[in-house]
Amino acid sequence: MNPNVRPVHYNIHLYPDLTTFKFKGTEEVLLRVVEPARAIEFNGLEMKVLSAAVTVGGAVWPVKGVSENAEKEAFVVELEKEVPVGEAVLKLEFEGEINDKLAGFYRSRYEYNGQSYYLGTTQFEPCDARRAFPCWDEPACKARFSITMTVQKDLTALSNMPIKSETTEGDLKTCVFDVTPVMSTYLVAYCVGHFEYLETTTEEGIKFRVYTVPGKKELGRFALDVGAKTISFFAKYYGIEYPLPKQDMIAVPDFSFGAMENWGLITYRETALLCDESSSFVAKSRVAYVVGHELAHQWFGNLVTMEWWKELWLNEGFATFMGTKAVDHLFPQWQVWTKFLNDHVFRALRVDALRSSHPIEVDISVARKVDEIFDAISYAKGASVILMIESALGEEPFRKGLNIYLNRFKYGNAHTEDLWQGLTEGSGKKVSNIMDPWVKKIGYPVVTVEETGQPGKLKITQNRYLAAGDVKPEENETIWPILLGVSTQSHPDIKYVELNTKEAVIDVDVSSNTEWIKLNAGQTGLYRVQYSAALFKRLGDNLSALSARDRAGLQNDAFALAIAGSISVVDYLELVSKFTEETNDTVWSDIFANLAVVRKLFDSPSMEKFVLKLVSKIGGELGWSGKPGEDESRSSLRGSVIATLGAVGDVAVIEEAKKRWTAFLSDKNSLPADLQSGVFYLVAKNGGEAEINQMIEVYKTSTLPAQKVTALRSIGSSRNPELIKKGLEYMMSEEVRMQDRFILLAALASSKVGRDICWDYVKQNWSLLEVKISHNLLPRIISYTCEDFSTPEKAKEVEDFFSQHKVHGTERTIAQTIESINSNTAIHSRNVAQVSKYLEQFN
Ligand SMILES: [Zn+2]
């Protein structure tokens, strides 16, 4: 946008019509004219500007004309003569559509008492406020907003602020909302529809509500309780009161992402907000985390906002980290910092191991391009880097630094450097020196550790880690500042050693030279560790002495090193075979995920036996029924163990799953939620058309959002080509919401037979998919269908197809997908002979 004028205050009056799905609006923007202006430019997309008028000091300033620049997603009001520096008012009338694109002002459909209804809602981040009203749609163009809505009188209208006054005339009512604080356009929100709500008040007296479509409010009780406590937690943690007089959270049936942190009116996908006491641990912990994440943004992101999308990670990395902190505070028994490894750190390490990754801070010239960086790098790597800095500074200095930063920039915008400055002042340590390479450079290191022959002295080397395993010198120039956590058999308390060079010899506390030594102890660092063969074996033989986090880290590093070819897949399997005594759900969940990858590449009956032998002990201990008062995490582990046992052909487990399914069909309360995912999957995988139809019925009729998703995913578990094709047809039918189509596709493409069928389908129906899948979800369609292929022919096919079918905004995903296929191909050919020989012993 031309910086000659800046918005100060928007007065917006909207007239949405939920029968024609059109809206009209009038807008008066108080502008600060910074330089004499002959033209006023603002953003607007897929709307009509019906009239424009300008006044200066109350006097009409003649307008020459209004023109649209569709490419810039903007309009220009040309003036007869220059507006001088000072204040001016721009008055506009406009109209647009309540669309089906899950972006801008859009509609969402739901059923109630057998009838279909629509509600209207908004999704503006990153740059779709311009679809809903004319605006300066950039995060740094902060202004106040006075919003008024005229709607059918039986509907509820919500916005960022509480309603100040309401008047009725005929069938319509007009709701005037209080003026907002100074804020960015992407955080403005409004909803209109038939809603119901639950209400509470936080400890500090903030009115707090959870809204749903009719019939669902009771499913919001858990989120209401968690949310109110989380607001109080953050107010204390940040040392700054919650900035608005109210907070609403609303579950929207059609929603593209997980949730959106609109200030004072957070919107959610139903699965991210609604659950009940009977819901699975996975469903409940997701709700608690997403609520924590969005509420963290109310300060970090909303009160203080990144200057431009290039620093998106500041918002997302931080909210991811803080969301976890809030859940840990409310539910210490859940051990979410261990789970954080799986959900965020390992995920970041996986994506950032590709050449087609990007630095955390990435140049974004056009706002539209930011869609593709709402990715694992911004969220997961961002959060992992923040965990690293907190552990380097200490919790309290970190919190103090954060408070300095938020107070300094409140109601304004800030850069990454500003956060480092705050943290430096809070801790007395120069933070930018430590953090810059982690934020500005692509990738991360693998630390190689060898014994020197002298007791207590280790040789350490750091190099860039790439999944492809072929790092070139020019890709290996970064020296990462590493705070190396070390723990040893005789001195298990973690000691930190600073590593600021490519190579070093470090001292470690050991009493003998046969001790185990764990590096990255506590797993707060974002790097891999490769041990000498002797050190690696010693750790594998002493798993019970390590913490769950360290066991998870050791195993995940070994898997990554096998991917890169630094060790063999057999070395990895040998380590994993020592985990038979494991009891931690996070550790198992990562082992299951990694073994699923290994099984995709080396699928064979002997591989299934290997997994069966590994899991049988914990499977026997957990059985099918929980003990009274057992941990939720243990109950959740039971579900995934059963799914794994059944997946590798445990006949007794499959039979029991079928029995439980039959019982479930006649009594929906008979199957504990934690078992549902495993049972549904095994029944669909081993059943026929009848079971798939039953699954579709559960999907259609279930009132529990998480159970619906579980059923949908299970529809995709069949290995029968005809049923896979039927699944694809179902995916595109009106019964599956656009936001959920990729969930079914991911399941359908998870087997070898399914992958080929899905890929054929995607190729043949690409133009249909472009219409039926919203633009921001297309990257997932590409990666879920193709990333597990493992031959050079497929890599070429994918490359050729997408070079002929270009979609703006999917370039990075395509590059990452092709790189994954090439990596799979290399792992397979390098290991196939050795793996089958190793697995023979399990026959
Ligand atoms: Zn977020």
Side-chain angles (χ1 to χ4, degrees), residues 261 293-294 297 316 319 379:
E261 69 264 23
H293 177 116
E294 302 310 325
H297 275 310
E316 296 309 343
Y379 284 75

Side-chain angles (χ1 to χ4, degrees), residues 449-452 454 456-460 486 504-508 517 519 535:
V449 46
E450 292 161 281
E451 286 169 301
T452 55
Q454 282 177 279
K457 292 210 179 292
L458 295 177
K459 187 183 170 210
I460 305 287
V486 184
V505 172
I506 63 161
D507 294 315
V508 292
I517 301 169
L519 268 65
L535 286 171

Side-chain angles (χ1 to χ4, degrees), residues 560-593:
L561 294 168
I563 294 285
S566 308
I567 64 173
S568 70
V569 170
V570 167
D571 291 331
Y572 170 70
L573 292 176
E574 269 180 346
L575 174 71
V576 166
S577 71
K578 296 174 182 174
F579 278 77
T580 47
E581 305 290 322
E582 183 59 57
T583 55
N584 182 279
D585 61 321
T586 296
V587 179
W588 273 122
S589 136
D590 191 46
I591 291 176
F592 292 154

Side-chain angles (χ1 to χ4, degrees), residues 257-545:
F257 299 102
M260 175 63 214
E261 69 264 23
N262 315 303
W263 218 1
L265 176 56
I266 306 173
T267 45
Y268 291 82
R269 190 176 265 249
E270 287 188 336
T271 45
L273 190 67
L274 306 183
C275 63
D276 69 9
E277 272 312 305
S278 75
S279 296
S280 67
F281 176 56
V282 172
K284 273 192 272 189
S285 52
R286 170 150 197 242
V287 168
Y289 163 71
V290 181
V291 166
H293 177 116
E294 302 310 325
L295 287 172
H297 275 310
Q298 305 302 305
W299 287 260
F300 207 107
N302 298 8
L303 183 63
V304 179
T305 311
M306 80 246 127
E307 180 76 20
W308 177 244
W309 299 111
K310 151 184 193 207
E311 286 159 324
L312 174 73
W313 86 276
L314 257 190
N315 272 10
E316 296 309 343
F318 221 89
T320 302
F321 173 81
M322 287 307 300
T324 307
K325 217 179 225 323
V327 179
D328 185 50
H329 174 76
L330 294 184
F331 304 98
Q333 73 279 18
W334 287 0
Q335 298 184 33
V336 285
W337 285 114
T338 303
K339 209 165 155 281
F340 183 87
L341 286 177
N342 261 6
D343 293 350
H344 308 298
V345 180
F346 295 163
R347 194 162 150 243
L349 291 168
R350 196 164 58 239
V351 178
D352 207 20
L354 299 175
R355 281 201 167 84
S356 46
S357 179
H358 60 85
I360 282 183
E361 271 193 18
V362 57
D363 273 331
I364 298 286
S365 51
V366 189
R368 276 286 150 227
K369 290 222 166 201
V370 79
D371 271 346
E372 257 196 319
I373 65 157
F374 279 88
D375 65 357
I377 296 298
S378 298
Y379 284 75
K381 189 181 180 186
S384 306
V385 160
I386 289 164
L387 172 68
M388 200 154 65
I389 190 74
E390 191 203 46
S391 67
L393 303 183
E395 278 183 53
E396 188 46 30
F398 174 84
R399 197 199 60 77
K400 213 168 121 194
L402 202 54
N403 170 271
I404 294 171
Y405 165 82
L406 289 172
N407 269 315
R408 186 169 295 158
F409 295 98
K410 60 186 171 190
Y411 303 106
N413 296 79
H415 294 285
T416 303
E417 286 69 29
D418 299 323
L419 175 61
W420 296 162
Q421 181 56 31
L423 293 176
T424 299
E425 290 171 34
S427 67
K429 289 183 187 161
K430 184 106 178 80
V431 172
S432 58
N433 291 357
I434 318 172
M435 295 316 288
D436 275 356
W438 294 102
V439 172
K440 295 184 192 297
K441 303 284 183 182
I442 189 171
Y444 60 86
V446 51
V447 169
T448 309
V449 46
E450 292 161 281
E451 286 169 301
T452 55
Q454 282 177 279
K457 292 210 179 292
L458 295 177
K459 187 183 170 210
I460 305 287
T461 317
Q462 58 159 304
N463 289 294
R464 167 104 180 265
Y465 170 86
L466 277 181
D470 56 350
V471 182
K472 301 187 172 57
E474 65 271 23
E475 294 170 317
N476 191 21
E477 285 169 346
T478 306
I479 293 175
W480 312 88
I482 299 173
L483 195 60
L484 203 62
V486 184
S487 162
T488 68
Q489 191 161 351
S490 55
H491 296 79
D493 286 350
I494 304 170
K495 279 210 177 138
Y496 290 96
V497 184
E498 276 182 40
L499 182 65
N500 291 308
T501 51
K502 197 99 187 151
E503 283 186 10
V505 172
I506 63 161
D507 294 315
V508 292
D509 293 334
V510 287
S511 314
S512 84
N513 52 9
T514 57
E515 285 190 22
W516 59 259
I517 301 169
K518 174 72 177 57
L519 268 65
N520 197 4
Q523 295 292 140
T524 48
L526 191 73
Y527 53 90
R528 301 287 188 192
V529 181
Q530 178 166 16
Y531 299 93
S532 66
L535 286 171
F536 183 63
K537 182 166 184 311
R538 241 177 269 157
L539 282 165
D541 291 340
N542 288 282
L543 290 175
S544 60

